[in-house]
Amino acid sequence: MTAGVLLAGCDTDQVSLATNAKANQPVPPKLLAAMVEKNMDLQSPILVRLFKQEAELEVWKQTRNGQFALLKTYPICRWSGDLGPKVREGDRQAPEGFYSINPGQMNPQSAYYLSFNTGYPNAFDKALGRTGSQLMVHGDCSSRGCYAMTDEQIAEIYSLGRESFFGGQKAFQLQAYPFKMTPVNMAKHRNNPNMAFWKMIKEGYDHFEVTRQEPRVDFCEKKYVFDATKPADAKRDPVFDASAKCPAYVIPEDVASAVREKQAKDEAEYARLVAKGTPMARMNTGIDGGMNKIFAAKIPEGSTGLSEGAEGTTLQMLAMAKAPGTIPGHVNPPKPNLDAAAVAPAPQEEPVVAVSAPTTNTRVAAAQPAEKSQGGGFFSNLGRKMGLGTADTTATTTPPPQATASVAPATTSATPPTAASRLKAAVTRFVPGHDKSKDAAKDAPKPTVAAAKPAEPPKPQPDTRLAQTRPALKPSVSDGAGEATQIMGAAPVVQSNSFDSRFGAVK
């Protein structure tokens, strides 16, 4: 009977959560202690914010004074795609925007330990014709358009959402951003084609920052509207349609003035940073998503990808820290997409990847032609000894084709039996006794440099460099970090008032 109440109250056909031990794990004692310290109730409402560039998930919880305060920040193990909203099914993009998570979107039988559906596409996404489905926040540290955590992390987040539903919250808000919407980040990404969209959702970011209240979200004229209320002379609340003209509405003056003040400060700082010449972030040239630095440090050849690296420290130093959960052996760290990288200019990839290996390989490859020219410079050395020119002179013009052709056979056939015959051949080659031959002798070093250059076009340096970032990952976690906190497959004691019966009572 209780299961029937649950299913009737949710827009899902998931089996009863009461039979799932993972979904009924208690909130950890440390989090309970943090709630007491921050004046929070266990079952008070929550709000979740996600940041791709920082690779962080924040859980905010309502305090007893009615405002939200940050309870805990979770490093994101993996997200895929690029900075920017999801547009179509299969583009591997993790969504950005404002979404609502109700109990029916909680999935206790997820293939990725536990999960909840982000609710993408929302009314705004649909109005723009955007497509996609089953975009989740889940465990297993594996992403194809989702936000992936470790199993231990999603168990905590899931339990916090569950308890908020027990307390009467109908749905919690999920805010997904490309980065923290600060003036410096906006300045760095000012050339990004998604900037108009980001400025629009920054409005909601600002509303939350100044009020510490969950902003009301509506849509009209294919745009977001935050904290809209009816005008003073209106008899009913405005009705919003994402594809229709906006109805008459107002934003409470106390909220509107606080937001205007914050935005004025942000815009002034943004203008200062742009005038100062703040470098613009490079566009993604094929790197697939990002990973928090704490996880990248635990993985052989791990990389943070499009997320921020370790500032002031190295991944090797972070490798000594304990991982926030068990990292599965099949984890796939960010790396360049070869298909996309083949089309994009290679030089743009190196600063984005921020991995030392590709840069080192490129430099070695650039030095190889010079080594070859020295190894095959017998006649150049001979000419120097005879005073016929400088062997290491760099040609400033393109050498004649015939000069290049004349060097090749000399290099391959320079195997006489005696030194005398080699000297005689060299003298005959370089100094036949005329001024014209001296000019030819001066040109001799030039073909040596030019002869090394043809070796550069066929070098597959970009492909080789990228291929080196794609080795099969070793299924390991450094120093066994996280094993002590592993709860995968654990069977905690299920409270008698389980998610099933308790949520049924609320409904």
Side-chain angles (χ1 to χ4, degrees):
M1 178 177 178
T2 305
V5 174
L6 175 65
L7 294 177
C10 303
D11 57 349
T12 181
D13 58 356
Q14 295 293 338
V15 297
S16 172
L17 299 180
T19 62
N20 192 301
K22 292 184 294 185
N24 281 281
Q25 293 177 78
V27 175
K30 286 186 178 180
L31 275 183
L32 293 175
M35 292 178 199
V36 173
E37 180 182 351
K38 298 182 179 184
N39 197 31
M40 301 170 177
D41 293 320
L42 172 62
Q43 297 182 351
S44 65
I46 68 167
L47 182 147
V48 174
R49 298 202 303 181
L50 290 157
F51 302 98
K52 290 180 177 178
Q53 181 173 281
E54 291 80 4
E56 291 179 349
L57 181 152
E58 297 177 345
V59 175
W60 293 69
K61 199 164 180 63
Q62 194 175 63
T63 63
R64 293 189 179 100
N65 66 11
Q67 290 187 316
F68 281 84
L70 180 62
L71 174 61
K72 185 172 180 178
T73 299
Y74 296 85
I76 297 175
C77 192
R78 191 72 170 90
W79 61 272
S80 60
D82 197 355
L83 300 181
K86 184 174 183 63
V87 175
R88 62 184 179 279
E89 184 83 46
D91 62 4
R92 291 183 63 86
Q93 284 290 100
E96 294 175 6
F98 287 69
Y99 300 90
S100 182
I101 315 301
N102 61 47
Q105 292 164 248
M106 307 289 282
N107 185 3
Q109 294 195 338
S110 172
Y112 299 102
Y113 195 72
L114 290 170
S115 67
F116 61 84
N117 194 313
T118 62
Y120 176 92
N122 60 20
F124 169 81
D125 300 318
K126 292 176 181 177
L128 295 180
R130 294 177 176 173
T131 59
S133 60
Q134 302 301 313
L135 279 302
M136 306 281 182
V137 176
H138 59 66
D140 199 48
C141 193
S142 175
S143 174
R144 294 176 181 82
C146 299
Y147 293 96
M149 320 299 292
T150 63
D151 292 350
E152 291 86 348
Q153 288 177 315
I154 194 61
E156 280 191 20
I157 298 166
Y158 195 100
S159 70
L160 292 171
R162 179 196 67 216
E163 293 299 324
S164 74
F165 294 141
F166 290 165
Q169 187 174 21
K170 302 299 182 182
F172 65 84
Q173 190 173 91
L174 174 71
Q175 304 176 8
Y177 300 100
F179 39 72
K180 293 186 177 180
M181 312 301 276
T182 61
V184 64
N185 280 335
M186 299 296 280
K188 287 180 180 178
H189 296 277
R190 61 188 180 273
N191 64 326
N192 194 293
N194 294 301
M195 183 53 67
F197 169 73
W198 291 341
K199 287 182 178 179
M200 181 171 58
I201 62 174
K202 181 182 182 295
E203 186 87 14
Y205 178 93
D206 292 340
H207 276 240
F208 180 72
E209 286 290 306
V210 301
T211 66
R212 287 291 188 256
Q213 299 283 354
E214 177 183 305
R216 175 177 173 176
V217 180
D218 290 296
F219 312 98
C220 61
E221 298 179 9
K222 299 181 180 180
K223 66 180 182 181
Y224 279 83
V225 178
F226 299 98
D227 289 325
T229 61
K230 65 181 179 180
D233 57 348
K235 295 182 180 180
R236 61 178 185 176
D237 292 332
V239 178
F240 288 88
D241 186 321
S243 300
K245 183 179 179 179
C246 292
Y249 70 88
V250 295
I251 298 174
E253 182 55 30
D254 58 337
V255 176
S257 61
V259 170
R260 284 195 301 267
E261 182 179 353
K262 179 184 184 302
Q263 291 179 343
K265 292 180 180 179
D266 287 351
E267 289 169 4
E269 178 64 10
Y270 171 87
R272 187 189 70 81
L273 291 168
V274 172
K276 181 183 176 181
T278 298
M280 291 185 290
R282 288 183 179 271
M283 301 295 290
N284 180 7
T285 55
I287 299 172
D288 182 21
M291 169 180 280
N292 190 280
K293 55 194 175 186
I294 189 65
F295 295 109
K298 300 292 184 180
I299 302 170
E301 302 186 28
S303 168
T304 56
L306 297 180
S307 294
E308 292 180 338
E311 296 183 3
T313 185
T314 64
L315 293 184
Q316 288 76 11
M317 294 172 64
L318 286 172
M320 303 301 295
K322 185 177 180 180
T326 303
I327 305 175
H330 59 262
V331 64
N332 183 23
K335 54 192 174 185
N337 182 309
L338 291 182
D339 293 336
V343 179
Q348 295 182 358
E349 294 169 5
E350 296 174 9
V352 180
V353 177
V355 179
S356 59
T359 304
T360 303
N361 293 341
T362 302
R363 291 177 180 173
V364 172
Q368 285 176 353
E371 294 174 0
K372 291 181 180 179
S373 65
Q374 293 174 3
F378 170 76
F379 297 112
S380 299
N381 295 334
L382 179 61
R384 187 190 303 112
K385 292 178 181 179
M386 298 177 65
L388 298 178
T390 304
D392 58 356
T393 301
T394 303
T396 57
T397 59
T398 305
Q402 57 268 33
T404 302
S406 64
V407 174
T411 302
T412 55
S413 60
T415 55
T418 64
S421 61
R422 287 201 304 270
L423 179 59
K424 181 178 180 180
V427 172
T428 303
R429 167 70 175 82
F430 288 100
V431 191
H434 300 284
D435 293 339
K436 182 178 180 181
S437 62
K438 291 182 179 181
D439 295 338
K442 291 181 180 180
D443 291 338
K446 301 177 183 179
T448 304
V449 176
K453 291 184 178 180
E456 293 183 6
K459 66 175 185 179
Q461 289 307 315
D463 293 338
T464 301
R465 174 171 54 77
L466 293 175
Q468 289 173 349
T469 66
R470 298 177 60 90
L473 295 171
K474 300 176 182 179
S476 64
V477 178
S478 301
D479 301 325
E483 292 179 0
T485 59
Q486 182 176 3
I487 56 176
M488 182 181 298
V493 178
V494 180
Q495 300 170 349
S496 59
N497 50 348
S498 65
F499 195 2
D500 183 4
S501 60
R502 294 173 71 182
F503 181 68
V506 171
K507 301 301 284 190

